[in-house]
Amino acid sequence: MQFEPLDVTGAFLLRPERRADARGWFARVFSADEFAAHGLDVTIAQINLTATERAGTVRGLHYQLPPAAESKLVRCTEGAIFDVVVDSRPGSPTFGRWAGAELSAEDGVSLYVPAGCAHGYQALVDGTRTLYHASVSYSPQHERGIDHADPQLAISWPLPPSGLSEKDASLPPLSEADLPGQD
């Protein structure tokens, strides 16, 4: 795997190295040793699969507060998404920055989201499926989020955002969010 650092401290794109032959190809998409060598959390407490039926739909931006702060490893298994990580960790050198990348079932690229960062994505095609591994189980009392359209963040969504849940549509901007490390 190739680990490509993003503009958010601790966030990486992971590009599989495919080995092909007459049968097809093989690629390693997770290695605890390689993750640990990059200082990344290798714990997997929960695996989630989402189905997003319409292109343009935005899910997020979500995170959990300590002690339930979670890192995530996100992969698109069908279709394509624009995946976004926002540094919502006060005191981080990249606080308030976001990084985004297109992930598709075809390219097999994954995005590693460090604990304390908000995460969301937009479906780029109808019938998209996304699989993500979380280092901590879902904790409703620790769940928080940030407005996907926060003008301070100015995220460049590839399509006009649509299909937001009621919960996601009411998330606060970063400047008003309950952030990790705040009392």
Side-chain angles (χ1 to χ4, degrees):
M1 281 181 293
Q2 298 172 352
F3 288 74
E4 179 183 317
L6 297 176
D7 288 338
V8 170
T9 300
F12 288 85
L13 281 181
L14 289 83
R15 297 188 186 280
E17 296 173 327
R18 293 181 178 177
R19 308 285 190 251
D21 63 21
R23 300 168 295 171
W25 55 265
F26 167 88
R28 185 174 54 252
V29 297
F30 178 82
S31 164
D33 292 341
E34 289 182 60
F35 271 59
H38 285 84
L40 306 181
D41 187 358
V42 297
T43 305
I44 298 174
Q46 185 170 305
I47 301 174
N48 304 303
L49 178 64
T50 63
T52 306
E53 299 309 323
R54 299 282 174 245
T57 300
V58 172
R59 293 179 180 261
L61 304 159
H62 305 135
Y63 59 94
Q64 291 190 167
L65 294 175
E70 61 186 347
S71 61
K72 295 177 185 174
L73 181 61
V74 184
R75 165 184 213 87
C76 184
T77 60
E78 188 173 331
I81 63 173
F82 181 68
D83 207 16
V84 174
V85 56
V86 174
D87 195 337
S88 52
R89 302 166 294 183
S92 168
T94 56
F95 175 73
R97 285 192 208 162
W98 67 273
E102 184 173 325
L103 309 181
S104 71
E106 188 174 307
D107 67 21
V109 174
S110 298
L111 177 72
Y112 179 83
V113 180
C117 287
H119 169 256
Y121 62 89
Q122 181 178 58
L124 299 178
V125 297
D126 291 346
T128 293
R129 305 295 180 260
T130 306
L131 181 76
Y132 58 98
H133 300 73
S135 64
V136 176
S137 295
Y138 174 66
S139 176
Q141 66 270 30
H142 295 98
E143 181 185 25
R144 301 293 187 276
I146 299 168
D147 181 5
H148 77 285
D150 182 346
Q152 177 184 342
L153 298 174
I155 296 171
S156 299
W157 298 103
L159 302 174
S162 63
L164 289 155
S165 69
E166 280 187 45
K167 179 177 73 174
D168 288 355
S170 65
L171 292 173
L174 180 63
S175 63
E176 298 173 19
D178 184 10
L179 300 174
Q182 291 182 329
D183 294 305

